[in-house]
Amino acid sequence: MKNAFVDSNGVLNAFGFMEANGKDTIVPVPDDFDGEPGKARYDGSQWVPYADLGAAKANNQATRDTLLVVAALRIAPLQDASDLGTATDADVATLKAWKQYRVAVSRVDLSSTDIMWPIPPA
C-alpha cells in the first residue's frame, strides 16, 4: 500500500511506496491514489481539494489592509476630539468600538481560506 505524506495542515507533500521521513505525518492510501502534491489536503477522514495558500494569504492581506485603512480613517477624528477634550460620550464609545475592531482585524489568521472577518462598528 502507498503512503501519503502530509504536513501539519494536512496538505499532501508526497506519496508513494516510501518510508517515513520523520517530518510529515503518514496517511495510508490505496495503490491507485493519484493526488497532486500541494493540491490536496487530508482533513482527518477524507482527501479534499486544497487551494494555494499563497494566493489566499495575499488576498487576505489585501482585505485586512483595506479594513485597517477604513478603521484608521474612522478613528482619527474621534481620537482628535478625545485628545482635544471635546469628545462626547458617544464619541468616546465609538472610538473604543473602532479601536477594538481594528485590533480584531489585525489578529485575524491570514493563512486561513475561510475567514470570518470582524464586523465593523455601526
Side-chain angles (χ1 to χ4, degrees):
M1 180 172 263
K2 286 184 185 177
N3 287 321
F5 301 90
V6 298
D7 66 16
S8 61
N9 294 317
V11 178
L12 177 65
N13 284 333
F15 67 92
F17 300 97
M18 306 178 278
E19 294 298 318
N21 63 12
K23 294 189 302 187
D24 297 322
T25 300
I26 299 174
V27 178
V29 293
D31 289 347
D32 63 351
F33 178 79
D34 64 353
E36 186 177 344
K39 301 287 183 178
R41 185 175 67 81
Y42 189 69
D43 70 3
S45 64
Q46 65 181 345
W47 290 96
V48 295
Y50 180 72
D52 178 18
L53 271 188
K57 187 172 182 178
N59 245 359
N60 293 341
Q61 287 173 333
T63 299
R64 182 212 46 210
D65 293 349
T66 298
L67 295 175
L68 290 175
V69 166
V70 170
L73 290 171
R74 300 299 184 272
I75 289 170
L78 295 165
Q79 186 64 57
D80 291 345
S82 178
D83 292 348
L84 295 170
T86 60
T88 65
D89 289 343
D91 290 341
V92 171
T94 303
L95 175 60
K96 181 178 180 182
W98 274 106
K99 285 183 173 184
Q100 289 170 329
Y101 168 76
R102 183 168 60 178
V103 168
V105 167
S106 72
R107 291 182 176 168
V108 167
D109 176 10
L110 300 177
S111 65
S112 175
T113 57
D114 188 24
I115 293 177
M116 295 293 295
W117 292 100
I119 305 296

